[in-house]
Amino acid sequence: MQANALDTIGTFNAADKALFEKEVKIRHVDKGEVLLREGMVANSLFFNVNGAAFQYSLSPSGAENITGLYMANEWFYNPSSLAAQTPSHSFIAAYVDSIVLELSIQSIHTLIYKSAAFFQFNSLIAQPTTGAYFFDNTLTPIQKYAYILEHRPALLQVFPLKMIAAYLKITPETLSRVREKLARAD
Amino acid sequence: MQANALDTIGTFNAADKALFEKEVKIRHVDKGEVLLREGMVANSLFFNVNGAAFQYSLSPSGAENITGLYMANEWFYNPSSLAAQTPSHSFIAAYVDSIVLELSIQSIHTLIYKSAAFFQFNSLIAQPTTGAYFFDNTLTPIQKYAYILEHRPALLQVFPLKMIAAYLKITPETLSRVREKLARAD
DNA sequence: GTGGCTGCTTGATCAGAATCAAGAAATATT
DNA sequence: AATATTTCTTGATTCTGATCAAGCAGCCAC
């Protein structure tokens, strides 16, 4: 299962994969378990082997602001906290019981030291996590939902529409109407 | 002038600065000159010594979509093209005659090889360029403009309001009304 | 089962920003 | 200097999505 995680990043040979398996930790996390807490400095990347996880921040009013929804075979982490080593503004938690891989920064440094192939992690760390920044304010609610249907339909099997709506920065009412409209159009 | 560029990234000793000065190229660019063209793979970071630059992409309809405005003493580049070594979707051009420093990826690798201090460039590359991602769709036009007034007022001295509006993803009419409203409030 | 909670839908209203339109001011060109 | 072009402002209208409100369905606990 660890090989999957590497395959999503680039090409690695058998020796690299063996090095990786020695560094990575396999964690069984319970529904609701927190992997990164607001105020902590992110020290690891995570890879979702199976299950589901989500990232969110709390607004002053206490509302959950969802910034990421993660399915199987996706890496997830807080890029800004990790890269700049500053306290996280967000939480990352498992949404259902999950198996995740955890790879610390120290491990990445060790891996890069042992094999140049692991430089490929730089481009992973440099990129915003899955889909999160696709949703700038130029997209309409229909386009946002169409993007989910097109690229990440599995989200709809796992997360309630309420959370999808929060992730897309639209209200549940608007999402409901968008779905009705698209269903009618088919 | 090269030292300024390093100071914005972290702490470097005299030997590091000397190494840096040997790698960096000083370029005099004319108004309108293109530093990165759509379709090319970004190979350099730029630092604006003086002048002004901007980043933009062309939508299918041909409209200019401004994604970055850069002033003196700011680094600018295309993070996604640079990190992933994929073709750029955007252009970077000088807005006025400018002096910029250019630092290639190869130079960064050379510098890192010669001094561990240059690892600090990783966190620069990993971060979205100045202010660009502050404008997610949770901010109102007033908040967006207030952010500019607070953090980057110099933009207003150099770029026409039309471009500021495009950068903020609002119409020029809305920007004009926001300015009128804030001026009245003072 | 009944009651209560949560998630989802549907309707009515409201507000904010885009669009459409015109004119004024500033800048560039000749 | 005169004209042309671009930028900025102001007004009227429209439209999209948020908000407010109510009702329904599914699910859990008791």
Side-chain angles (χ1 to χ4, degrees):
Chain A
M1 65 174 84
Q2 292 90 331
N4 271 353
L6 282 185
D7 291 343
T8 64
I9 289 177
T11 49
F12 294 85
N13 64 31
D16 294 331
K17 287 178 180 174
L19 287 172
F20 179 72
E21 294 191 10
K22 282 175 72 173
E23 290 294 333
V24 79
K25 285 198 199 77
I26 299 177
R27 290 183 57 177
H28 295 252
V29 295
D30 294 333
K31 172 178 179 170
E33 191 172 334
V34 173
L35 292 165
L36 175 68
R37 196 170 295 281
E38 185 185 20
M40 307 299 289
V41 174
N43 192 47
S44 296
L45 303 178
F46 299 97
F47 180 81
N48 195 351
V49 175
N50 70 57
F54 68 115
Q55 183 165 7
Y56 63 98
S57 60
L58 298 178
S59 70
S61 62
E64 264 191 15
N65 176 26
I66 295 181
T67 56
L69 299 176
Y70 310 109
M71 302 297 299
N73 291 313
E74 293 180 343
W75 286 92
F76 60 100
Y77 48 93
N78 181 323
S80 63
S81 176
L82 192 76
Q85 288 291 288
T86 53
S88 173
H89 297 301
S90 64
F91 296 82
I92 296 179
Y95 184 66
V96 298
D97 292 354
S98 305
I99 299 175
V100 306
L101 305 183
E102 177 168 5
L103 186 67
S104 71
I105 296 179
Q106 290 73 21
S107 288
I108 292 174
H109 288 163
T110 300
L111 289 170
I112 289 177
Y113 177 77
K114 292 186 177 171
S115 165
F118 289 99
F119 267 116
Q120 293 175 99
F121 269 94
N122 274 327
S123 64
L124 174 67
I125 295 171
Q127 281 184 319
T129 50
T130 315
Y133 286 99
F134 278 88
F135 304 117
D136 60 15
N137 64 1
T138 63
L139 298 185
T140 65
I142 290 177
Q143 291 173 318
K144 290 175 181 177
Y145 184 67
Y147 177 85
I148 297 295
L149 279 184
E150 174 79 16
H151 295 99
R152 309 190 67 207
L155 289 181
L156 301 169
Q157 310 303 328
V158 174
F159 296 100
L161 294 174
K162 201 185 149 177
M163 286 178 73
I164 305 280
Y167 177 52
L168 298 180
K169 310 290 182 211
I170 61 180
T171 61
E173 293 95 329
T174 294
L175 178 57
S176 178
R177 289 178 178 116
V178 164
R179 282 164 54 84
E180 195 264 340
K181 193 167 193 176
L182 290 185
R184 187 184 302 269
D186 289 339
Chain B
M1 65 175 84
Q2 291 91 331
N4 272 352
L6 282 185
D7 290 342
T8 65
I9 289 178
T11 49
F12 294 85
N13 63 31
D16 294 332
K17 287 178 180 174
L19 288 171
F20 179 71
E21 295 193 10
K22 283 176 71 173
E23 290 294 333
V24 79
K25 285 196 199 77
I26 301 177
R27 290 183 56 178
H28 294 252
V29 295
D30 294 333
K31 172 178 177 168
E33 191 171 334
V34 173
L35 291 166
L36 175 68
R37 195 170 296 280
E38 185 185 20
M40 306 299 290
V41 174
N43 191 48
S44 297
L45 303 178
F46 299 97
F47 180 81
N48 195 351
V49 176
N50 70 57
F54 68 115
Q55 182 165 8
Y56 63 99
S57 60
L58 299 178
S59 70
S61 62
E64 265 191 14
N65 178 25
I66 296 180
T67 55
L69 299 176
Y70 311 108
M71 302 298 299
N73 291 313
E74 292 181 342
W75 285 91
F76 60 100
Y77 49 92
N78 181 324
S80 64
S81 176
L82 193 76
Q85 288 292 287
T86 54
S88 173
H89 297 300
S90 64
F91 296 82
I92 297 179
Y95 184 67
V96 298
D97 293 353
S98 304
I99 298 174
V100 305
L101 305 183
E102 177 167 5
L103 186 68
S104 71
I105 295 179
Q106 291 74 19
S107 287
I108 293 175
H109 288 164
T110 300
L111 289 170
I112 289 177
Y113 177 77
K114 291 186 177 172
S115 165
F118 289 99
F119 267 117
Q120 292 174 99
F121 269 93
N122 274 327
S123 64
L124 174 67
I125 294 171
Q127 280 185 318
T129 50
T130 316
Y133 285 100
F134 278 87
F135 303 117
D136 61 17
N137 64 0
T138 62
L139 297 185
T140 66
I142 290 177
Q143 291 172 318
K144 291 175 180 178
Y145 184 67
Y147 177 85
I148 297 294
L149 278 183
E150 174 78 16
H151 295 99
R152 309 190 68 207
L155 290 181
L156 301 169
Q157 311 303 327
V158 173
F159 296 101
L161 294 174
K162 202 185 148 177
M163 287 178 72
I164 306 280
Y167 177 52
L168 298 180
K169 310 292 183 210
I170 61 180
T171 61
E173 292 95 328
T174 293
L175 179 57
S176 178
R177 288 178 179 117
V178 164
R179 283 163 54 84
E180 196 265 341
K181 193 169 191 174
L182 289 186
R184 188 184 300 270
D186 289 340

